[in-house]
């Protein structure tokens, strides 16, 4: 019977595997709705382990938005580790949801949120475990529609053969509109329903578009193969965040997860214009949640969850126009309650130490993290990260003066135009941080951690044309940097060095800027046993390179090759709102080491998003302050 | 070098210590001890229990755990002691906490901890029940006899330090087989280091009698506490109850004791 729980079958397998609690469900604030009275049933998947997927805000938001609708049911499903997957195959247990333990195959839609391309093999594994054909072309009316979302869906071409559709941008309204179309087309064929979704707008159905190639392998054109679907599919934008205060009832798991806190998104979008940052480019414009809206979400969320930490999330949280009042207001409200606040993403220049003091007033003092991203002043101009070394040193000095002892610095290696010297300047910066730290604190007990990973050029950014640095050169530069840090004995022990080597970045680059021909490589890797590619103990560079070779794919052509202005890019028919001409002009300015200011504070520079999408920047200040919570 | 001290006044002192018996039932048996600890801390916050906190840069609520059933093993008798910064009525506290905890982690009883007494000192043994579906009663009975006849039964277990050998026999005070529709082993096991768990006893049964359950057995702890002269496990909270038996007694769900064997909630 459709929708029947497989838990009785699963239960006898759980004593035999590691961390069984992650498959049991029953999280606080989760729900299991009646199967039979639901007209549209969604399975929402985060294609990684439960411990990573559960805290994902996107899935949590859509889960609640959908379940609030009468006649609509949403349950969650996550990747299962190989130990359980083997036992499920052995015992005929299909992929299931953690809420009702219902077979994923029985749902109308399987929505998969891709934060990263490294989840693609996990999608194939889960489809296979669910008994759903991995190729969209092989599915029939009995199978769920497989719809991709999340940031990686802005170039879904590498997984075009495996998904039925993709949605670009914000999901809150999109899932409701899709639900409505599915209600209206209930009983129709798969093709008819997909057609209805494509016609309604904002849903990309890869099968309705053909790709032609030039003899040299570049794309000639991408065009619809039927008349009534749009030439370009536009991203979705949710404008009024205060109208969408989700999650209202955060899911609180029993199992341990990567973020043991409650999160409130304080604004969406970013116009800082860091040229490497796909998130900042594809989520424009900036839309702030109001200070009162934030206060209400924090209050309701803490009450519903019992968490003792609140993360104020956004792409650059100190940039909220009223962040000072928000932090002070919340710190006042929760004084003496052991509730701590954190700002997970914070820019050096926007950060002031008063703000940091407010954040740690009621809780534990955590480390401070800054992200200069580029080692040299010149390189920071190329990437448009407008932070000077003096700014950083000044901020860090104040932080040490205010009692912090540990500072983390984030960088990337392999940025366009980068030389060995640019990367070596990171060592100078870290030494300077330690030097001022010792001076200010009068102790040698200060630490600085340098964290660095390889840069991967992403679609819909000014660097989408750039050559990715090969893995060997990346690793060579990282070694030079490590040697430079270690060469100064007076500071070497005070500086921690963490890095990601260049190889995983090449695979990520292949998948990020790949086209439909990459699909065969993904399938080959999965058939060769590749899953959990985001985990170093499972990732195999060699497996990817062998699969690419077997499928006749030249990895360098996709990664280290610089693209020309007139090349048709695989994602050109997918509209993030940004004008390609503007992106190209910004790329040229990057090469000229020209910075570009934030349009929140200067006149519009015509990136294209607001006029095309019918959106506009929504920022305060409102001037409202958070009042103390009165006990009624 | 200056020694750093946290700013602000020290946290308020502990004014009331409460001993709590709770369960780990049904699907919740798959929680690890760390999972339980996190769920408990959050439930305390949701229930607005005025916890006392430790001093220092990283203040922690005052919660002392006493033993913990292994992951995958259910329990009717787990214990924890918490320190409060304000006095609270025990019944109200137990009710609020029980409502706030996930179903399956249920509060059985809460009592005040008299000053100078130690709960861990009273907990020296556990009574376990292990359901063995799919095994013939006679086979189980024979295995029990073989187990009890052995002097020592070395078994291996994978621990953090690697494979270790321990004796599954000496810690076992008593063992009998109940043979109904499904064979159930009843055990009293003394707490030793390293602990002898239900799994180790099953390994021992495999060693002495080649007993191999066809489906995973389901173990439940029914009691832990002092060991009486007759080899039974006593109630560790008995000395804490007031003579009238009224104050602080919130013995909820006591009737579920035996009935809850392996039944998913």
């Amino acid at each position: 019977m459709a929708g029947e729980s497989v838990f009785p079958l699963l239960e006898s397998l759980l004593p035999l595997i590691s961390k069984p609690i992650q498959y049991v469900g029953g999280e606080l604030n989760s729900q299991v709705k009646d199967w039979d009275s639901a007209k549209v049933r969604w399975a929402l998947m985060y294609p990684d382990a439960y411990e990573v997927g559960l805290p994902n805000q996107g899935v949590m938001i859509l889960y609640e938005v959908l379940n609030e609708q009468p006649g609509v049911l949403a349950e969650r499903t996550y990747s299962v580790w190989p130990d359980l997957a083997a036992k499920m195959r052995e015992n005929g247990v299909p992929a299931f949801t953690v809420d009702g333990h219902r077979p994923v195959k029985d749902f109308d839609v399987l929505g998969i949120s891709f934060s990263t391309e490294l989840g693609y093999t996990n999608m194939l594994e889960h489809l296979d475990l669910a008994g759903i054909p991995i190729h969209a072309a092989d599915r029939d009316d009995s199978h769920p529609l497989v719809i991709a979302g999340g940031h990686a869906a802005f170039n879904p071409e590498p997984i075009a053969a495996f998904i039925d559709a993709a949605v670009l941008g914000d999901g809150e309204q999109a899932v409701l509109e899709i639900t409505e179309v599915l209600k209206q087309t209930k009983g129709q064929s798969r093709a008819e329903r997909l057609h209805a979704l494509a016609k309604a707008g904002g849903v990309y159905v890869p099968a309705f578009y053909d790709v032609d190639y030039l003899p040299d392998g570049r794309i000639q054109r991408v065009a619809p193969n039927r008349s009534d679907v749009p030439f370009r599919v536009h991203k979705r934008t949710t404008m009024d965040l205060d109208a969408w205060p989700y999650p209202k009832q955060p899911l609180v798991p029993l199992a341990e997860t990567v973020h043991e806190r409650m999160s409130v998104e304080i604004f969406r979008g970013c116009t800082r214009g860091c040229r490497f940052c796909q998130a900042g480019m594809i989520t424009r414009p900036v839309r702030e949640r109001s200070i009162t809206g934030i206060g209400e979400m924090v209050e309701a969320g803490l009450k519903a969850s019992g968490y003792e930490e609140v993360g104020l999330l956004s792409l650059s949280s100190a940039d909220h126009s009223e962040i000072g009042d928000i932090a002070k207001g919340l710190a006042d409200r929760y004084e003496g309650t052991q509730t701590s606040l954190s700002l997970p993403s914070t820019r050096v220049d926007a950060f002031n130490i008063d703000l940091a003091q407010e954040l740690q007033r009621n809780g534990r003092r955590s480390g401070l993290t800054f992200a200069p991203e580029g080692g040299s002043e010149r390189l920071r101009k190329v990437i448009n990260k407008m932070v000077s070394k003096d700014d950083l040193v000044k901020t860090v000095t104040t932080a040490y003066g205010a009692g912090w002892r540990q500072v983390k610095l984030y960088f990337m290696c392999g940025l366009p135009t980068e030389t060995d010297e640019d990367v070596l300047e990171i060592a100078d910066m870290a030494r300077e941080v330690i030097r001022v730290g010792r001076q200010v604190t009068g102790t040698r007990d200060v630490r600085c951690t340098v964290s660095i990973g390889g840069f991967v050029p992403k679609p819909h950014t000014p660097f989408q044309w750039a050559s990715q640095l090969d893995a060997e050169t990346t690793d060579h530069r990282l070694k030079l940097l490590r040697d430079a840090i270690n060469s100064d004995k007076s500071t070497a022990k005070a500086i921690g060095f963490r890095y990601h080597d260049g190889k995983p970045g090449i695979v990520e680059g292949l998948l990020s800027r790949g086209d439909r021909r990459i699909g065969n490589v993904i399938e080959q890797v999965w058939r060769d046993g590749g899953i959990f590619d985001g985990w170093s103990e499972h990732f195999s560079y060699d497996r990817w390179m062998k699969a690419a070779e077997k499928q006749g794919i030249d990895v360098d052509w996709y990664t280290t090759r610089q693209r020309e202005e007139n090349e048709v890019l695989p994602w050109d028919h997918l509209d993030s709102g940004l004008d390609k001409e503007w992106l190209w002009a910004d790329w040229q300015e990057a090469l000229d080491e020209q910075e570009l200011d934030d349009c929140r504070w200067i006149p519009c520079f015509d990136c294209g998003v607001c006029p095309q999408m019918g959106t506009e920047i929504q920022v305060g200040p409102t001037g409202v302050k958070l009042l103390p919570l009165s006990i009624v | 070098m200056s020694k750093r001290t946290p700013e602000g006044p020290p946290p308020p002192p502990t004014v009331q210590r409460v001993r709590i018996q709770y369960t780990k039932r049904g699907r919740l048996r798959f929680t690890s001890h760390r999972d339980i600890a996190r769920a408990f801390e959050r439930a305390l916050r949701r229930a607005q229990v005025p916890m006392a906190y430790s001093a220092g840069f990283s203040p922690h609520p005052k919660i002392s755990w006493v033993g913990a059933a292994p992951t995958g093993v259910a329990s009717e008798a787990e214990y924890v002691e918490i320190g409060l910064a304000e006095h609270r009525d025990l019944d109200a506290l137990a009710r609020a906490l029980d409502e706030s905890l996930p179903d399956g982690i249920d509060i059985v009883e809460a009592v005040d901890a008299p000053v100078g007494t130690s709960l861990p000192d009273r907990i020296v043994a556990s009574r376990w029940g292990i359901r063995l579906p799919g095994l013939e009663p006679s086979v189980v009975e024979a295995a029990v006899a073989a187990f009890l006849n052995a002097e020592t039964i070395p078994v291996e277990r994978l621990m953090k330090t690697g494979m270790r050998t321990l004796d599954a026999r000496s810690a076992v005070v008593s063992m009998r087989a109940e043979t109904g529709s499904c064979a159930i082993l009843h055990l009293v096991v003394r707490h030793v280091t390293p602990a002898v768990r239900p799994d180790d006893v099953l390994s021992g049964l495999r060693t002495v009698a080649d007993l191999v359950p066809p489906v995973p057995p389901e173990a439940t702890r029914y009691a832990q506490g002092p060991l009486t002269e007759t080899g039974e496990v006593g109630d560790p909270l008995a000395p804490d109850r007031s003579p009238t038996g009224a104050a602080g007694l919130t013995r909820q769900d006591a009737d579920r004791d035996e009935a809850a064997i392996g039944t998913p909630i």
Side-chain angles (χ1 to χ4, degrees):
Chain A
M1 204 172 66
E4 198 170 353
S5 172
V6 300
F7 195 77
L9 291 170
L10 181 66
E11 195 171 17
S12 62
L13 307 181
L14 293 181
L16 312 171
I17 53 144
S18 66
K19 296 192 198 165
I21 189 66
Q22 64 184 311
Y23 306 113
V24 164
E27 299 87 352
L28 184 71
N29 300 321
S30 65
Q31 50 184 316
V32 180
K33 291 176 84 172
D34 179 48
W35 182 264
D36 292 326
S37 53
K39 289 192 178 67
V40 179
R41 307 175 184 107
W42 286 74
L44 299 171
M45 179 184 192
Y46 192 86
D48 204 333
Y50 180 87
E51 64 196 81
V52 179
L54 182 113
N56 180 265
Q57 291 294 292
V59 170
M60 221 187 272
I61 289 168
L62 299 185
Y63 175 76
E64 199 172 354
V65 164
L66 286 166
N67 275 324
E68 273 185 1
Q69 298 292 313
V72 181
L73 169 158
E75 300 196 355
R76 296 158 298 124
T77 183
Y78 306 95
S79 293
V80 300
W81 288 109
D83 62 345
L84 179 60
K87 299 234 172 286
M88 286 165 67
R89 288 197 166 99
E90 225 171 87
N91 293 276
V93 179
F96 54 86
T97 58
V98 296
D99 298 287
H101 294 93
R102 288 159 169 153
V104 168
K105 185 165 50 83
D106 292 351
F107 286 75
D108 297 305
V109 191
L110 170 60
I112 311 180
S113 178
F114 289 104
S115 301
T116 151
E117 300 82 0
L118 296 176
Y120 291 162
T121 49
N122 277 3
M123 166 181 65
L124 297 187
E125 172 74 351
H126 214 61
L127 289 172
D128 188 61
L129 271 176
I132 301 169
I134 64 163
H135 293 112
D138 296 335
R139 293 176 201 142
D140 62 33
D141 293 352
S142 75
H143 296 115
L145 299 178
V146 179
I147 304 183
H151 288 183
F154 277 79
N155 176 25
E157 293 299 273
I159 51 169
F162 313 123
I163 58 171
D164 294 295
V167 176
L168 283 63
D170 299 334
E172 291 97 336
Q173 286 151 302
V175 291
L176 295 180
E177 288 164 28
I178 291 170
T179 300
E180 203 44 48
V181 172
L182 293 181
K183 258 184 210 166
Q184 284 161 11
T185 56
K186 196 104 194 172
Q188 294 182 19
S189 75
R190 185 174 197 85
E192 285 168 325
R193 298 181 95 183
L194 286 169
H195 195 196
L197 286 170
K199 276 195 296 190
V203 177
Y204 171 57
V205 179
F208 297 160
Y209 296 78
D210 291 332
V211 183
D212 297 323
Y213 299 96
L214 294 164
D216 66 4
R218 289 179 302 159
I219 293 171
Q220 184 177 30
R221 61 174 209 145
V222 180
N225 53 28
R226 56 191 67 204
S227 60
D228 48 2
V229 298
F231 267 86
R232 299 188 80 204
V233 180
H234 306 295
K235 77 161 178 184
R236 322 290 291 236
T237 308
T238 297
M239 278 309 295
D240 182 3
L241 255 55
D242 281 325
W244 298 90
Y246 297 88
K248 297 173 183 168
Q249 303 274 314
L251 295 168
V252 185
L254 285 157
E256 188 169 12
T257 63
V258 293
H259 294 305
E260 295 286 327
R261 64 175 177 230
M262 181 198 130
S263 297
V264 172
E265 188 184 23
I266 62 172
F267 66 90
R268 202 172 285 181
C270 181
T271 42
R272 283 282 182 173
C274 302
R275 291 173 175 129
F276 55 84
C277 179
Q278 186 191 38
M281 292 290 163
I282 62 178
T283 60
R284 294 174 174 205
V286 171
R287 291 143 287 153
E288 286 186 353
R289 197 183 297 282
S290 69
I291 180 170
T292 44
I294 293 165
E296 285 161 21
M297 279 187 72
V298 171
E299 190 195 347
L302 283 176
K303 212 175 261 175
S305 68
Y307 278 123
E308 57 179 13
E309 184 182 337
V310 181
L312 301 178
L313 299 193
S314 74
L315 293 172
S316 179
S317 292
D319 283 353
H320 191 289
S321 64
E322 292 182 292
I323 189 63
D325 287 333
I326 292 167
K328 182 174 184 313
L330 291 174
D332 285 348
R333 273 188 175 182
Y334 297 102
E335 181 122 42
T337 63
Q338 306 291 344
T339 306
S340 60
L341 298 171
S342 64
L343 293 190
S345 304
T346 309
R347 290 176 57 92
V348 185
D349 55 345
F351 201 88
N352 69 63
I353 298 304
D354 289 346
L355 178 58
Q357 295 275 36
E358 295 293 353
L359 292 177
Q360 56 93 51
R361 178 142 53 105
N362 294 332
R364 298 154 195 177
R365 189 189 290 263
S366 49
L368 283 182
T369 302
F370 302 109
E373 311 287 5
S376 70
E377 203 98 13
R378 185 196 71 77
L379 200 55
R380 289 195 292 276
K381 284 183 177 163
V382 171
I383 63 178
N384 203 39
K385 187 94 188 188
M386 292 190 284
V387 180
S388 71
K389 189 175 171 188
D390 289 349
D391 285 344
L392 176 78
V393 169
K394 220 180 334 178
T395 314
V396 167
T397 305
T398 323
Y400 282 126
W404 270 272
R405 292 292 181 271
Q406 164 110 14
V407 167
K408 278 191 221 163
L409 301 174
Y410 277 26
F411 295 94
M412 282 187 286
C413 179
L415 291 160
T417 77
E418 181 186 278
T419 63
D420 292 355
E421 286 67 37
D422 291 314
V423 175
L424 286 171
E425 280 199 39
I426 294 170
D428 297 338
M429 195 187 272
R431 277 195 289 263
E432 180 73 4
V433 163
I434 292 298
R435 199 184 56 76
V436 301
R438 285 175 178 168
Q439 199 175 22
V440 173
T441 61
T443 151
R444 291 179 63 80
D445 178 27
V446 294
R447 277 192 66 76
C448 165
T449 302
V450 169
S451 193
I452 183 164
F455 164 66
V456 178
K458 294 273 171 156
H460 305 282
T461 70
F463 290 166
Q464 63 183 356
W465 291 278
S467 157
Q468 184 176 355
L469 190 63
D470 62 90
E472 293 71 28
T473 314
T474 300
D475 292 347
H476 175 66
R477 282 190 190 152
L478 293 176
K479 187 180 177 306
L480 289 178
L481 175 58
R482 183 213 286 266
D483 292 347
I485 289 171
N486 288 340
S487 68
D488 185 341
K489 295 293 172 227
S490 68
T491 53
K493 283 208 170 121
I495 301 172
F497 184 61
R498 291 188 184 172
Y499 67 97
H500 295 288
D501 65 37
K503 284 176 173 175
I506 290 295
V507 171
E508 195 185 330
L510 173 71
L511 298 173
S512 291
R513 291 194 292 172
D515 53 37
R516 292 189 180 185
R517 293 168 291 190
I518 298 302
N520 290 338
V521 181
I522 300 169
E523 184 177 340
Q524 184 69 50
V525 165
W526 170 69
R527 290 199 185 281
D528 292 344
I531 41 164
F532 285 100
D533 282 306
W535 296 73
S536 55
E537 62 268 44
H538 289 278
F539 174 81
S540 163
Y541 180 72
D542 292 342
R543 182 156 51 206
W544 277 96
M545 293 307 115
K546 273 183 202 147
E549 200 186 330
K550 194 164 174 185
Q551 296 296 332
I553 291 294
D554 176 359
V555 175
D556 289 345
W557 192 82
Y558 284 94
T559 54
T560 59
R561 178 178 66 95
Q562 182 162 321
R563 279 71 159 168
E564 297 299 322
E565 183 178 10
N566 61 4
E567 178 166 342
V568 176
L569 301 172
W571 51 90
D572 276 351
H573 58 298
L574 299 171
D575 186 6
S576 61
L578 299 156
D579 279 337
K580 199 176 177 187
E581 294 73 23
W582 179 79
L583 285 172
W584 178 262
D586 204 41
W587 168 224
Q588 297 308 304
E589 294 204 341
L591 295 174
D592 290 343
E593 298 165 19
Q594 294 291 312
E595 296 167 315
L596 176 69
D597 215 330
D598 188 318
C599 67
R600 272 171 289 187
W601 305 302
I602 61 157
C604 172
F605 46 69
D606 293 326
C607 74
V609 172
C610 289
Q612 277 186 58
M613 300 278 143
T615 57
E616 57 181 12
I617 292 174
Q618 300 279 347
V619 295
T622 60
V624 180
K625 303 273 187 282
L626 287 177
L627 300 172
L629 292 174
S630 53
I631 295 161
V632 188
Chain B
M1 194 184 284
S2 64
K3 179 112 177 111
R4 292 184 300 145
T5 48
E7 291 156 33
T14 305
V15 297
Q16 183 182 11
R17 285 194 305 146
V18 180
R19 288 182 183 146
I20 295 170
Q21 182 190 349
Y22 66 94
T23 67
K24 190 177 146 189
R25 292 172 174 151
R27 294 182 188 184
L28 273 285
R29 72 181 185 276
F30 294 114
T31 48
S32 70
H33 178 55
R34 285 161 53 85
D35 299 334
I36 296 265
R38 271 193 314 275
F40 224 90
E41 282 191 34
R42 287 168 190 161
L44 286 165
R45 288 176 69 91
R46 287 193 299 274
Q48 300 184 325
V49 176
M51 294 301 293
Y53 276 80
S54 63
F57 283 103
S58 181
H60 285 283
K62 295 209 168 169
I63 303 178
S64 313
W65 299 96
V66 186
T71 304
V73 173
S75 177
E76 291 295 315
E78 299 294 290
Y79 294 90
V80 63
E81 196 168 291
I82 62 174
L84 306 186
E86 290 170 33
H87 276 284
R88 279 292 180 271
D89 172 72
L90 288 174
D91 279 331
L93 174 79
R95 241 190 322 273
L97 191 52
D98 188 52
E99 270 172 34
S100 178
L101 282 163
D103 286 344
I105 305 178
D106 302 318
I107 303 294
V108 178
E109 183 174 18
V111 298
D112 275 318
V115 177
T117 62
S118 158
L119 184 57
D121 285 353
R122 296 179 196 158
I123 296 196
V124 297
S126 285
R127 182 160 61 83
W128 301 94
I130 308 176
R131 274 170 58 93
L132 298 164
L135 282 177
E136 282 297 315
S138 58
V139 174
V140 177
E141 277 172 339
V144 168
F147 188 98
L148 293 173
N149 277 334
E151 282 279 309
T152 60
I153 306 173
V155 297
E156 289 198 313
R157 194 207 310 162
L158 187 63
M159 298 193 202
K160 285 199 182 92
T161 50
M163 224 23 142
R164 282 190 62 176
T165 304
L166 51 104
D167 178 17
R169 176 63 189 91
S170 61
V172 175
V173 178
S174 65
M175 177 191 282
R176 69 181 170 84
E178 177 191 331
T179 52
S181 56
C182 169
I184 301 172
L185 276 182
H186 293 279
L187 310 166
V188 172
V189 182
R190 206 177 290 113
H191 292 187
V192 291
T193 310
V196 172
R197 300 167 167 182
D199 270 0
D200 302 318
V201 173
L202 289 168
S203 301
L205 288 165
R206 188 164 57 233
T207 306
V208 295
D210 220 6
L211 189 80
V212 182
V215 289
E218 292 166 21
T220 303
R221 168 145 65 197
Y222 288 110
Q224 51 178 335
L227 204 52
T228 65
E229 280 172 14
T230 55
E232 295 296 311
V233 177
D235 179 353
L237 300 186
D240 302 331
R241 282 181 207 116
S242 57
T244 60
L249 199 63
T250 59
R251 195 141 190 115
Q252 305 171 345
D253 301 328
D255 54 317
R256 301 185 53 156
D257 201 359
E258 297 282 329
I261 293 186
T263 322
I265 305 290

